[in-house]
Amino acid sequence: MILIDLIFYAIGAYILLTTGYLFFLTVAAWFFKKKTTPRGSISSVTVVIPAHNEALGITQTIDSIQGADFPPGTDLKSVPIRIVVIADNCDDDTARVAKDAGVRVMERSDTQNRGKGQALDWFFKNHKKEYDRMDSVAIIDADTLIHPRFFTEICDSLSHPEVQVVQGFYGVSNPKENWRTALSAAALCVFHHIRPAGRNRVHATAGLKGNGMAFETKIIQRFGWPAFSIVEDIEFSMHLLLENILVHYNPDAIVFGEMASKSDQAQTQRKRWEGGRVQLLKQYTGSLFLGFLKNHTFMFLDAFMELFTPPLSLVVAGQLLLFSISFLFYPQMLILWGLCLYATALYVFSGLILKKAPFYVWRSLFCAPFFILWKIPVYFKLAGKKGIPGWERTKRASEIKEETDK
Protein backbone atom coordinates (compact mmCIF):
# COMPACT_ATOMS: atom_id res chain seq x y z
CA MET A 1 0.00 0.00 0.00
CA ILE A 2 2.88 2.38 0.74
CA LEU A 3 4.26 1.81 -2.77
CA ILE A 4 0.85 2.53 -4.29
CA ASP A 5 0.61 5.72 -2.24
CA LEU A 6 4.05 6.82 -3.43
CA ILE A 7 3.14 6.22 -7.07
CA PHE A 8 -0.20 8.01 -6.70
CA TYR A 9 1.30 11.07 -5.01
CA ALA A 10 4.28 11.20 -7.40
CA ILE A 11 1.99 11.22 -10.44
CA GLY A 12 -0.29 13.65 -8.62
CA ALA A 13 2.59 16.06 -7.91
CA TYR A 14 3.61 16.03 -11.57
CA ILE A 15 0.08 16.66 -12.83
CA LEU A 16 -0.52 19.33 -10.19
CA LEU A 17 2.71 21.16 -11.06
CA THR A 18 2.09 21.17 -14.80
CA THR A 19 -1.59 22.08 -14.41
CA GLY A 20 -0.60 24.96 -12.14
CA TYR A 21 1.89 26.17 -14.75
CA LEU A 22 -0.76 26.14 -17.49
CA PHE A 23 -3.24 27.98 -15.24
CA PHE A 24 -0.57 30.57 -14.44
CA LEU A 25 0.03 31.18 -18.16
CA THR A 26 -3.72 31.35 -18.80
CA VAL A 27 -4.16 34.20 -16.32
CA ALA A 28 -1.06 35.99 -17.66
CA ALA A 29 -2.26 35.69 -21.28
CA TRP A 30 -5.35 37.77 -20.53
CA PHE A 31 -3.06 40.70 -19.67
CA PHE A 32 -0.69 40.34 -22.63
CA LYS A 33 0.15 43.32 -24.88
CA LYS A 34 2.32 43.05 -27.96
CA LYS A 35 5.41 45.24 -28.29
CA THR A 36 5.47 47.22 -31.53
CA THR A 37 6.76 50.52 -32.94
CA PRO A 38 4.64 51.35 -36.02
CA ARG A 39 6.56 52.71 -38.99
CA GLY A 40 9.85 52.12 -37.23
CA SER A 41 13.35 51.34 -38.43
CA ILE A 42 12.66 47.85 -39.84
CA SER A 43 11.07 47.97 -43.28
CA SER A 44 12.61 45.28 -45.51
CA VAL A 45 12.39 41.49 -45.26
CA THR A 46 14.07 38.47 -46.77
CA VAL A 47 11.54 35.64 -46.73
CA VAL A 48 13.19 32.22 -46.57
CA ILE A 49 11.11 29.16 -47.51
CA PRO A 50 12.76 25.80 -46.74
CA ALA A 51 11.18 23.24 -49.05
CA HIS A 52 11.57 19.50 -49.54
CA ASN A 53 9.45 18.05 -52.36
CA GLU A 54 6.86 20.84 -52.24
CA ALA A 55 6.19 21.25 -55.97
CA LEU A 56 2.44 20.73 -55.58
CA GLY A 57 1.87 23.56 -53.13
CA ILE A 58 4.73 26.03 -53.13
CA THR A 59 3.21 28.31 -55.80
CA GLN A 60 0.26 28.98 -53.50
CA THR A 61 2.64 29.95 -50.69
CA ILE A 62 4.65 32.27 -52.93
CA ASP A 63 1.46 33.90 -54.26
CA SER A 64 0.29 34.48 -50.70
CA ILE A 65 3.57 36.18 -49.79
CA GLN A 66 3.66 38.31 -52.93
CA GLY A 67 0.08 39.42 -52.32
CA ALA A 68 0.69 40.66 -48.78
CA ASP A 69 0.79 44.32 -47.75
CA PHE A 70 3.98 46.17 -46.88
CA PRO A 71 4.45 48.56 -43.96
CA PRO A 72 2.75 51.93 -44.66
CA GLY A 73 5.18 54.49 -46.04
CA THR A 74 7.60 51.87 -47.40
CA ASP A 75 9.44 52.91 -50.55
CA LEU A 76 8.69 50.02 -52.91
CA LYS A 77 11.69 51.01 -55.07
CA SER A 78 13.95 49.91 -52.21
CA VAL A 79 12.85 46.27 -52.73
CA PRO A 80 11.25 45.79 -49.28
CA ILE A 81 10.86 42.04 -49.76
CA ARG A 82 13.01 39.29 -51.24
CA ILE A 83 11.78 35.68 -51.44
CA VAL A 84 14.26 32.81 -51.42
CA VAL A 85 13.29 29.13 -51.67
CA ILE A 86 15.73 26.51 -50.37
CA ALA A 87 15.04 23.43 -52.50
CA ASP A 88 16.50 20.94 -50.07
CA ASN A 89 17.28 17.41 -51.31
CA CYS A 90 14.31 17.53 -53.65
CA ASP A 91 13.56 14.78 -56.14
CA ASP A 92 10.54 16.55 -57.63
CA ASP A 93 10.06 19.85 -59.52
CA THR A 94 10.14 22.15 -56.48
CA ALA A 95 13.08 24.21 -57.81
CA ARG A 96 11.60 24.67 -61.28
CA VAL A 97 8.13 25.55 -59.97
CA ALA A 98 9.59 28.13 -57.57
CA LYS A 99 11.73 29.68 -60.33
CA ASP A 100 8.68 29.90 -62.58
CA ALA A 101 6.94 31.81 -59.78
CA GLY A 102 9.67 34.45 -60.02
CA VAL A 103 11.66 33.91 -56.81
CA ARG A 104 15.27 33.11 -56.02
CA VAL A 105 16.00 29.40 -55.57
CA MET A 106 18.97 27.84 -53.79
CA GLU A 107 19.30 24.12 -54.42
CA ARG A 108 20.93 21.94 -51.76
CA SER A 109 21.90 18.28 -52.09
CA ASP A 110 23.25 16.66 -48.95
CA THR A 111 21.51 13.41 -48.06
CA GLN A 112 23.83 12.85 -45.08
CA ASN A 113 22.59 16.02 -43.35
CA ARG A 114 18.87 16.04 -43.95
CA GLY A 115 16.53 18.34 -42.10
CA LYS A 116 15.09 21.82 -41.95
CA GLY A 117 17.66 23.14 -39.48
CA GLN A 118 20.54 21.83 -41.59
CA ALA A 119 19.10 23.46 -44.72
CA LEU A 120 18.61 26.82 -43.01
CA ASP A 121 22.11 26.85 -41.54
CA TRP A 122 23.60 25.95 -44.94
CA PHE A 123 21.76 28.85 -46.56
CA PHE A 124 22.52 31.42 -43.86
CA LYS A 125 26.24 30.59 -43.80
CA ASN A 126 26.84 30.19 -47.53
CA HIS A 127 24.51 32.73 -49.12
CA LYS A 128 24.78 35.83 -46.95
CA LYS A 129 24.48 38.16 -49.93
CA GLU A 130 20.88 37.00 -50.32
CA TYR A 131 19.83 38.57 -47.03
CA ASP A 132 22.55 40.71 -45.41
CA ARG A 133 21.38 44.01 -46.95
CA MET A 134 17.82 43.56 -45.70
CA ASP A 135 16.62 44.65 -42.26
CA SER A 136 15.09 41.33 -41.26
CA VAL A 137 14.71 37.67 -42.13
CA ALA A 138 11.38 35.81 -41.94
CA ILE A 139 10.98 32.03 -42.19
CA ILE A 140 7.82 30.63 -43.74
CA ASP A 141 7.04 26.96 -44.31
CA ALA A 142 6.31 25.81 -47.86
CA ASP A 143 2.68 24.84 -47.11
CA THR A 144 1.73 28.22 -45.64
CA LEU A 145 -0.63 31.09 -46.34
CA ILE A 146 0.07 34.43 -44.69
CA HIS A 147 -2.23 37.18 -43.50
CA PRO A 148 -2.00 40.36 -45.62
CA ARG A 149 -0.66 42.33 -42.63
CA PHE A 150 2.02 39.79 -41.70
CA PHE A 151 4.97 41.87 -42.94
CA THR A 152 3.63 45.09 -41.43
CA GLU A 153 3.26 43.40 -38.05
CA ILE A 154 6.70 41.75 -37.97
CA CYS A 155 8.38 44.98 -39.07
CA ASP A 156 6.52 46.90 -36.36
CA SER A 157 7.55 44.31 -33.78
CA LEU A 158 11.22 44.23 -34.80
CA SER A 159 11.28 48.04 -34.80
CA HIS A 160 10.55 48.02 -31.05
CA PRO A 161 13.82 48.60 -29.14
CA GLU A 162 13.34 45.49 -26.97
CA VAL A 163 12.54 43.06 -29.80
CA GLN A 164 15.13 41.22 -31.89
CA VAL A 165 13.13 38.07 -32.60
CA VAL A 166 9.38 37.80 -33.15
CA GLN A 167 7.01 34.86 -33.48
CA GLY A 168 3.64 35.37 -35.13
CA PHE A 169 0.47 33.39 -34.52
CA TYR A 170 0.63 30.07 -36.36
CA GLY A 171 -2.89 28.91 -37.20
CA VAL A 172 -4.52 26.31 -39.45
CA SER A 173 -5.14 26.79 -43.18
CA ASN A 174 -7.52 23.82 -43.53
CA PRO A 175 -9.65 23.89 -40.34
CA LYS A 176 -12.88 22.92 -42.10
CA GLU A 177 -11.47 19.80 -43.75
CA ASN A 178 -12.64 17.45 -40.98
CA TRP A 179 -12.98 17.14 -37.22
CA ARG A 180 -9.25 16.47 -36.82
CA THR A 181 -8.16 19.73 -38.48
CA ALA A 182 -10.85 21.69 -36.63
CA LEU A 183 -9.56 20.24 -33.36
CA SER A 184 -6.03 21.20 -34.43
CA ALA A 185 -7.28 24.77 -34.89
CA ALA A 186 -8.61 24.69 -31.34
CA ALA A 187 -5.33 23.29 -30.04
CA LEU A 188 -3.28 26.00 -31.77
CA CYS A 189 -5.50 28.73 -30.31
CA VAL A 190 -4.21 27.43 -26.99
CA PHE A 191 -0.67 26.28 -27.72
CA HIS A 192 0.20 29.07 -30.16
CA HIS A 193 -1.56 31.90 -28.32
CA ILE A 194 -2.09 31.27 -24.60
CA ARG A 195 1.39 29.79 -24.10
CA PRO A 196 3.48 32.48 -25.90
CA ALA A 197 1.28 35.34 -24.72
CA GLY A 198 1.40 34.18 -21.11
CA ARG A 199 5.13 33.52 -21.21
CA ASN A 200 5.87 36.95 -22.67
CA ARG A 201 3.64 38.62 -20.09
CA VAL A 202 5.81 37.19 -17.28
CA HIS A 203 8.99 38.34 -19.08
CA ALA A 204 9.91 34.92 -20.46
CA THR A 205 10.51 33.85 -24.03
CA ALA A 206 7.51 33.12 -26.25
CA GLY A 207 9.49 30.43 -28.06
CA LEU A 208 9.74 29.79 -31.79
CA LYS A 209 7.04 27.70 -33.48
CA GLY A 210 8.88 26.84 -36.70
CA ASN A 211 6.68 28.95 -38.99
CA GLY A 212 5.87 32.67 -39.15
CA MET A 213 8.98 33.72 -37.23
CA ALA A 214 11.23 36.69 -38.00
CA PHE A 215 14.61 37.99 -36.88
CA GLU A 216 16.64 41.14 -37.10
CA THR A 217 19.25 40.33 -39.75
CA LYS A 218 22.06 40.76 -37.24
CA ILE A 219 20.73 37.77 -35.26
CA ILE A 220 21.00 35.51 -38.30
CA GLN A 221 24.41 36.94 -39.19
CA ARG A 222 25.60 36.17 -35.68
CA PHE A 223 24.16 32.69 -35.17
CA GLY A 224 23.13 31.27 -38.52
CA TRP A 225 20.79 28.44 -37.56
CA PRO A 226 22.64 26.40 -34.89
CA ALA A 227 19.81 23.93 -34.30
CA PHE A 228 19.77 20.55 -36.03
CA SER A 229 17.34 18.43 -34.01
CA ILE A 230 13.93 17.38 -35.34
CA VAL A 231 12.43 20.24 -33.31
CA GLU A 232 14.94 22.82 -34.46
CA ASP A 233 12.63 25.75 -33.64
CA ILE A 234 12.45 24.87 -29.92
CA GLU A 235 16.18 24.15 -29.89
CA PHE A 236 17.01 27.57 -31.36
CA SER A 237 14.67 29.16 -28.79
CA MET A 238 16.75 27.54 -26.04
CA HIS A 239 19.97 28.68 -27.71
CA LEU A 240 18.74 32.28 -27.88
CA LEU A 241 17.47 32.20 -24.31
CA LEU A 242 20.87 31.11 -23.00
CA GLU A 243 22.23 34.19 -24.81
CA ASN A 244 19.58 36.30 -22.98
CA ILE A 245 17.65 36.92 -26.21
CA LEU A 246 13.88 36.53 -25.85
CA VAL A 247 11.41 35.62 -28.57
CA HIS A 248 8.53 38.12 -28.55
CA TYR A 249 5.03 37.22 -29.65
CA ASN A 250 2.81 39.21 -32.02
CA PRO A 251 -0.67 37.65 -32.33
CA ASP A 252 -1.49 39.86 -35.33
CA ALA A 253 1.40 38.56 -37.47
CA ILE A 254 -0.58 35.56 -38.67
CA VAL A 255 0.37 32.57 -40.81
CA PHE A 256 -1.77 29.54 -41.64
CA GLY A 257 -0.19 26.11 -42.13
CA GLU A 258 -1.71 22.84 -43.25
CA MET A 259 -2.56 20.43 -40.42
CA ALA A 260 -2.82 16.67 -40.63
CA SER A 261 -6.28 15.47 -41.65
CA LYS A 262 -5.56 11.73 -41.37
CA SER A 263 -4.29 9.62 -38.49
CA ASP A 264 -1.10 8.46 -40.20
CA GLN A 265 -0.13 12.08 -40.97
CA ALA A 266 -0.87 13.10 -37.38
CA GLN A 267 1.12 10.18 -35.99
CA THR A 268 4.19 11.22 -38.00
CA GLN A 269 3.93 14.79 -36.67
CA ARG A 270 3.36 13.64 -33.09
CA LYS A 271 6.34 11.29 -33.19
CA ARG A 272 8.57 14.13 -34.37
CA TRP A 273 7.31 16.79 -31.96
CA GLU A 274 7.17 14.77 -28.77
CA GLY A 275 10.28 12.69 -29.39
CA GLY A 276 12.27 15.84 -30.09
CA ARG A 277 10.87 17.70 -27.09
CA VAL A 278 11.90 14.92 -24.68
CA GLN A 279 15.39 14.91 -26.18
CA LEU A 280 15.70 18.68 -25.63
CA LEU A 281 14.51 18.30 -22.04
CA LYS A 282 17.43 15.96 -21.42
CA GLN A 283 19.84 18.22 -23.28
CA TYR A 284 18.95 21.60 -21.77
CA THR A 285 17.76 20.93 -18.21
CA GLY A 286 21.23 21.41 -16.72
CA SER A 287 21.93 24.61 -18.67
CA LEU A 288 18.56 26.12 -17.76
CA PHE A 289 19.02 25.51 -14.04
CA LEU A 290 22.56 26.90 -14.18
CA GLY A 291 21.15 29.96 -15.95
CA PHE A 292 18.58 30.38 -13.20
CA LEU A 293 21.16 30.05 -10.42
CA LYS A 294 23.43 32.55 -12.15
CA ASN A 295 20.86 35.17 -13.18
CA HIS A 296 17.98 34.55 -10.72
CA THR A 297 15.42 35.22 -13.46
CA PHE A 298 12.18 33.31 -13.97
CA MET A 299 12.64 32.92 -17.74
CA PHE A 300 14.97 29.94 -17.25
CA LEU A 301 12.52 28.10 -14.99
CA ASP A 302 9.75 28.91 -17.44
CA ALA A 303 11.76 27.37 -20.30
CA PHE A 304 12.24 24.22 -18.22
CA MET A 305 8.52 24.04 -17.44
CA GLU A 306 7.67 24.46 -21.12
CA LEU A 307 9.71 21.36 -21.93
CA PHE A 308 8.66 19.53 -18.74
CA THR A 309 4.91 19.95 -19.36
CA PRO A 310 3.45 17.00 -21.30
CA PRO A 311 0.93 17.33 -24.16
CA LEU A 312 -2.47 18.51 -23.01
CA SER A 313 -4.06 15.15 -23.83
CA LEU A 314 -1.76 13.47 -21.30
CA VAL A 315 -2.43 16.16 -18.70
CA VAL A 316 -6.19 15.64 -19.05
CA ALA A 317 -5.81 11.85 -19.06
CA GLY A 318 -3.73 12.09 -15.90
CA GLN A 319 -6.29 14.33 -14.21
CA LEU A 320 -9.15 11.98 -15.08
CA LEU A 321 -7.18 8.96 -13.90
CA LEU A 322 -6.33 10.62 -10.58
CA PHE A 323 -9.92 11.78 -10.15
CA SER A 324 -11.21 8.24 -10.74
CA ILE A 325 -8.70 6.66 -8.34
CA SER A 326 -9.48 9.30 -5.71
CA PHE A 327 -13.18 8.58 -6.01
CA LEU A 328 -12.47 5.01 -4.89
CA PHE A 329 -9.46 5.30 -2.58
CA TYR A 330 -8.53 8.94 -1.86
CA PRO A 331 -11.81 10.87 -1.46
CA GLN A 332 -10.01 13.74 0.26
CA MET A 333 -8.28 14.50 -3.10
CA LEU A 334 -11.43 14.72 -5.22
CA ILE A 335 -11.80 18.49 -4.90
CA LEU A 336 -8.17 19.07 -5.91
CA TRP A 337 -8.43 17.03 -9.13
CA GLY A 338 -11.80 18.60 -9.87
CA LEU A 339 -10.15 22.04 -9.64
CA CYS A 340 -7.37 20.84 -11.94
CA LEU A 341 -9.93 19.79 -14.55
CA TYR A 342 -11.64 23.17 -14.17
CA ALA A 343 -8.30 24.99 -14.63
CA THR A 344 -7.60 23.00 -17.79
CA ALA A 345 -11.03 23.82 -19.20
CA LEU A 346 -10.33 27.50 -18.49
CA TYR A 347 -6.99 27.16 -20.30
CA VAL A 348 -8.65 25.77 -23.42
CA PHE A 349 -11.67 28.09 -23.40
CA SER A 350 -9.45 31.14 -22.90
CA GLY A 351 -7.51 30.32 -26.05
CA LEU A 352 -10.68 30.00 -28.11
CA ILE A 353 -12.19 33.16 -26.64
CA LEU A 354 -9.07 35.32 -27.05
CA LYS A 355 -8.55 34.14 -30.65
CA LYS A 356 -12.28 34.49 -31.40
CA ALA A 357 -12.56 30.95 -32.68
CA PRO A 358 -15.59 30.23 -34.92
CA PHE A 359 -18.37 27.89 -33.86
CA TYR A 360 -17.11 24.84 -35.79
CA VAL A 361 -13.84 25.01 -33.82
CA TRP A 362 -15.75 25.06 -30.53
CA ARG A 363 -17.88 22.17 -31.81
CA SER A 364 -14.75 20.12 -32.50
CA LEU A 365 -14.09 19.93 -28.74
CA PHE A 366 -16.73 17.18 -28.57
CA CYS A 367 -14.25 15.01 -30.51
CA ALA A 368 -11.47 15.65 -27.98
CA PRO A 369 -12.15 12.50 -25.88
CA PHE A 370 -11.78 10.28 -28.96
CA PHE A 371 -8.62 12.15 -29.95
CA ILE A 372 -7.14 11.61 -26.48
CA LEU A 373 -7.93 7.89 -26.66
CA TRP A 374 -6.14 7.75 -30.03
CA LYS A 375 -3.10 9.69 -28.81
CA ILE A 376 -2.38 7.79 -25.59
CA PRO A 377 -1.30 4.57 -27.38
CA VAL A 378 0.84 6.71 -29.69
CA TYR A 379 2.68 8.15 -26.69
CA PHE A 380 3.19 4.72 -25.16
CA LYS A 381 4.61 3.55 -28.49
CA LEU A 382 6.98 6.52 -28.50
CA ALA A 383 8.03 5.83 -24.91
CA GLY A 384 8.95 2.27 -25.82
CA LYS A 385 11.30 3.32 -28.62
CA LYS A 386 14.99 3.83 -27.93
CA GLY A 387 17.25 6.46 -29.44
CA ILE A 388 16.57 9.84 -30.98
CA PRO A 389 13.73 9.81 -33.53
CA GLY A 390 14.83 10.68 -37.05
CA TRP A 391 13.49 13.34 -39.36
CA GLU A 392 10.41 12.22 -41.26
CA ARG A 393 8.41 14.48 -43.54
CA THR A 394 4.62 14.62 -43.16
CA LYS A 395 2.71 14.07 -46.39
CA ARG A 396 0.63 17.01 -47.61
CA ALA A 397 -3.05 16.70 -48.44
CA SER A 398 -2.31 17.45 -52.11
CA GLU A 399 0.09 14.49 -52.26
CA ILE A 400 -2.42 12.13 -50.67
CA LYS A 401 -5.09 13.30 -53.13
CA GLU A 402 -2.71 12.80 -56.06
CA GLU A 403 -1.90 9.27 -54.90
CA THR A 404 -5.61 8.51 -54.46
CA ASP A 405 -6.46 9.79 -57.96
CA LYS A 406 -3.82 7.61 -59.65
Side-chain angles (χ1 to χ4, degrees), residues 2-3 63 79 142 146 165 173-174 189 219 246 251 270 280 296 312 341 359 367 375 377 384:
I2 295 177
L3 179 60
D63 288 345
V79 191
I146 70 170
V165 183
S173 63
N174 57 333
C189 285
I219 294 293
L246 299 185
R270 190 58 51 190
L280 290 184
H296 302 289
L312 185 61
L341 287 165
F359 174 72
C367 299
K375 285 175 73 175

Side-chain angles (χ1 to χ4, degrees), residues 74-89:
T74 297
D75 179 9
L76 297 182
K77 294 181 181 180
S78 66
V79 191
I81 183 171
R82 174 179 293 171
I83 305 172
V84 181
V85 170
I86 307 172
D88 181 42
N89 290 302

Side-chain angles (χ1 to χ4, degrees), residues 179-180 183 364-377:
W179 67 268
R180 190 183 295 275
L183 195 58
S364 71
L365 295 180
F366 287 106
C367 299
F370 305 101
F371 190 58
I372 292 173
L373 289 174
W374 169 81
K375 285 175 73 175
I376 290 175

Side-chain angles (χ1 to χ4, degrees), residues 89-128:
N89 290 302
C90 294
D91 50 27
D92 69 351
D93 290 333
T94 297
R96 180 188 60 79
V97 171
K99 288 175 183 176
D100 289 347
V103 303
R104 291 280 290 165
V105 177
M106 299 291 137
E107 295 187 63
R108 174 179 180 263
S109 180
D110 186 350
T111 57
Q112 299 302 311
N113 293 290
R114 300 170 67 243
K116 181 178 175 181
Q118 289 83 342
L120 288 170
D121 195 54
W122 169 84
F123 170 73
F124 290 140
K125 288 182 176 177
N126 294 286
H127 299 280
K128 292 184 178 181

